[in-house]
Amino acid sequence: FMIKKIYIAGPLFNRHEQMYLEEIAKELEGNGYDCFLPHRDAAIGIEESELKGTDMSQETKDTIFNNDLNALDAADLTVALLTGQDIDSGTSAEIGHTFAKEKPVIAINANERRYRNLFVEGMLTVTVNNIDQLIPEIKKLN
């Protein structure tokens, strides 16, 4: 089992979260992994005007969902950012889907210490505190 493709899951509610996810992608891609970052990659091929505001068409929503799902299915591993008051609902769904496919999930908590949902926590292969701990953990899985 060789890890090549990595799906990066996490909340996207503000620029800080997006930038942290982009830093995760930069670290992984810099080490030769092929990464899917939803806010960067799910909307490829969709007109920019379709992505603005809250009146996104059902066709665009379906395309983004299918792009995310296909990327999750193609990935060998999910890295999930678990910051915020609770684990983001979308991130939880991505963790659950990965777990159901019997693939590993590495969680990164960015040194936040919070009570986590124990059911979601049970689906995590390992939790790390920082981005620099990801590559050593991935190498343990290969």
Side-chain angles (χ1 to χ4, degrees), residues 94-127:
E94 291 159 329
I95 291 168
H97 187 83
T98 303
F99 181 81
K101 296 285 186 174
E102 299 182 354
K103 296 177 185 179
V105 178
I106 297 178
I108 182 166
N109 63 20
N111 285 308
E112 274 192 4
R113 298 281 178 250
R114 295 191 190 274
Y115 178 77
R116 299 281 179 220
N117 178 289
L118 294 178
F119 187 73
V120 177
E121 185 117 353
M123 296 183 192
L124 306 174
T125 307
V126 65
T127 300

Side-chain angles (χ1 to χ4, degrees), residues 61-75:
K61 291 176 186 176
D62 292 346
T63 299
I64 291 171
F65 168 77
N66 286 312
N67 288 348
D68 284 349
L69 188 61
N70 291 337
L72 262 178
D73 286 343

Side-chain angles (χ1 to χ4, degrees), residues 11-51:
L12 299 169
F13 298 110
N14 59 54
R15 187 68 193 127
H16 175 77
E17 291 168 339
Q18 291 171 9
M19 286 173 54
Y20 198 87
L21 293 167
E22 289 161 14
E23 284 295 313
I24 292 170
K26 183 178 171 188
E27 174 73 10
L28 297 174
E29 289 167 347
N31 280 277
Y33 295 100
D34 177 15
C35 294
F36 183 89
L37 186 57
H39 74 275
R40 179 188 73 188
D41 303 327
I44 289 175
I46 298 172
E47 291 295 323
E48 189 69 29
S49 61
E50 251 304 295
L51 300 172

